[in-house]
Amino acid sequence: LVFSVALFHLGRIHLLVAMRNRNVLLGCSALLAVAAAYEHSAVEICKGDSDASCTARTVGDSEADETPLLQLRASGNLEADSHANRSYTYEVEKVTAFAALVKFTYCSAAEGVAKSLAATCGSSSDPVAGNKGYCEPAGVRIHSSSVRTILMADGDSSKALSGFVGRLVATADKPKVQPGCVFAIRGTWEDTNNYLRNQQIQLVQSEYGDCKECLVHSGYQEVWKLLEHAAENLFDALNCTKQDPLYLIGHSMGGAVATMGMYALKTQGWNIQPSITFSSPHTGNQAFVQELQRLVGGSTDAVAVVRVTLGKDLVPMTPRKGDYAFTWPEVYFNSKTDAKAMKLCWNTGCGIAAQNNHCGMGACNDHLANPIAPNDNMAIFKDYTGACVWGLGAASNQNLPKVAQQDASQQMAWMAKAIQPKVAKCDGDWQPAADCVKEVLYNARWVQGCISDDGGTSAWCSLDEYYISRWNICTPCDGKKKMQKPKSAYTSTGNWYYR
């Protein structure tokens, strides 16, 4: 039946499979041979309204080539016709690297995040930093000195918003991920008003760009507005310019906010790259999705955001009211432990939307589970202290606590107790980042906490006792004052320090 459907659409389907160092163009007559040859590492390409339309199963050798390079142009019904000119190359190395980075957002800016990111995404040529193997196949690494964390208030929730900005550098001649900067945003956190933001589902006019028809999730736009200036300050701290490739990634609410951020920053001239989100809810309407794709990819059919989903998770289906739209494609995993059991989907007849009996946060653990993430989980660590405080990185051979087998709401409650984000004390109107020193020699004088040189509209803090141009941000203590970008960067010369 499957191949009868394939033959019916022979004139309308083209599957290009790039394997090893050669390209092989496969027509429908070759699909059976390909499926048989690679039956143990199958990737399903779904284009229609039922599983019967998943006609192609192709990847490389499971051991020698774990990276299926798949490009699809498909049409088979009215919905699929809208994606007829679209193509996407799936590279498991890139998805694996971004999943590992996103997981550390759930350390909530703990003091070991930078070291753990370097250990998790290190290079085999850098034994001091460590090499857990999550990013090197993608051809990039991240150094501890090129990471800056964010922990910000949202109203009366002091730990509501968290993430980090990092700089990716190449470890290979042809990396799978173009070197540049990355901003990773944490998902919903217990005992904060993140839940209120999730419930602010009204579609409102985007405050960025000039698209009058672009409507976005009210809550996620407000969250981005809180994060925006903090992120741009950290871009400055790491010398990330508008010309550098910039990726925004996140899990759950963090993925939706990252999508909002991609749109906002692109309208401001940043070099936003097509990116990946994990178990992300909707961000905007169809006009917003198409405009984002046009801005990032050059056409309304281009790929801007790839959604990674799993199981019967309800979150990627929300909000379920209003004229919200999906971004495409969707990489759908139907196994919590097998990263090769996946489908590449282009419409709601495939993937998460095609599942029956979606389960909510209190019904299953599908929202945090993911076979592409370290330990098959996007948030839970075997040893939080080692991973988030001591900076030991994520170990792939660790078994997670039993709570990882419970439903997602129980996992999140457990994290809120196990992980207590360190919130620095306020210094006047400003709160220094957790990784800043308490006192710094700056401009030949000792300064405690935050430094403000522009009339009090912004403040920064030093990562070193003797200031050497490494700094992080200070955030408004009341969570309401709008943070401004510093008027200039900070530099140092010899024993004297200048702004």
Side-chain angles (χ1 to χ4, degrees), residues 102-184:
V102 167
K103 180 163 185 171
F104 281 94
T105 63
Y106 284 98
C107 287
S108 296
E111 52 264 44
V113 169
K115 290 183 179 179
S116 263
L117 285 168
T120 301
C121 287
S123 168
S124 58
S125 61
D126 185 7
V128 176
N131 179 29
K132 302 292 184 180
Y134 288 100
C135 293
E136 191 168 22
V140 292
R141 67 178 177 86
I142 193 166
H143 194 274
S144 61
S145 65
S146 63
V147 175
R148 300 291 186 273
T149 58
I150 296 176
L151 183 62
M152 291 182 59
D154 180 3
D156 58 359
S157 297
S158 62
K159 309 170 185 177
L161 309 177
S162 188
F164 64 84
V165 173
R167 178 172 279 280
L168 300 170
V169 297
T171 60
D173 292 336
K174 296 181 180 180
K176 303 288 185 182
V177 176
Q178 189 177 1
C181 296
V182 59
F183 181 21

Side-chain angles (χ1 to χ4, degrees), residues 241-375:
T241 69
K242 287 188 175 182
Q243 288 70 46
D244 288 318
L246 177 60
Y247 304 91
L248 274 75
I249 57 179
H251 172 261
S252 190
M253 183 188 81
V257 175
T259 304
M260 184 71 239
M262 290 177 65
Y263 180 80
L265 291 174
K266 185 63 179 178
T267 64
Q268 297 166 3
W270 289 85
N271 185 15
I272 299 299
Q273 298 298 299
S275 197
I276 299 169
T277 63
F278 301 86
S279 302
S280 170
H282 301 302
T283 303
N285 66 353
Q286 185 64 30
F288 167 80
V289 170
Q290 290 184 332
E291 181 68 359
L292 175 65
Q293 291 165 173
R294 184 189 69 81
L295 290 171
V296 174
S299 77
T300 57
D301 285 330
V303 172
V305 179
V306 177
R307 294 179 298 112
V308 177
T309 62
L310 178 134
K312 297 183 177 182
D313 183 13
L314 180 63
V315 172
M317 296 293 297
T318 60
R320 307 194 81 172
K321 297 180 180 179
D323 295 326
Y324 283 93
F326 288 106
T327 61
W328 300 102
E330 172 189 2
V331 176
Y332 173 73
F333 292 99
N334 53 25
S335 169
K336 299 175 185 179
T337 58
D338 184 1
K340 297 173 184 176
M342 53 83 76
K343 298 178 181 179
L344 184 61
C345 303
W346 288 95
N347 60 60
T348 56
C350 170
I352 200 77
Q355 304 308 305
N356 295 320
N357 302 318
H358 288 98
C359 50
M361 301 287 281
C364 70
N365 68 351
D366 288 20
H367 185 55
L368 295 182
N370 198 298
I372 207 73
N375 312 118

Side-chain angles (χ1 to χ4, degrees), residues 457-470:
T457 59
S458 66
W460 57 278
C461 54
S462 176
L463 298 179
D464 303 281
E465 185 179 10
Y466 298 93
Y467 181 59
I468 55 173
S469 300
R470 297 197 325 128

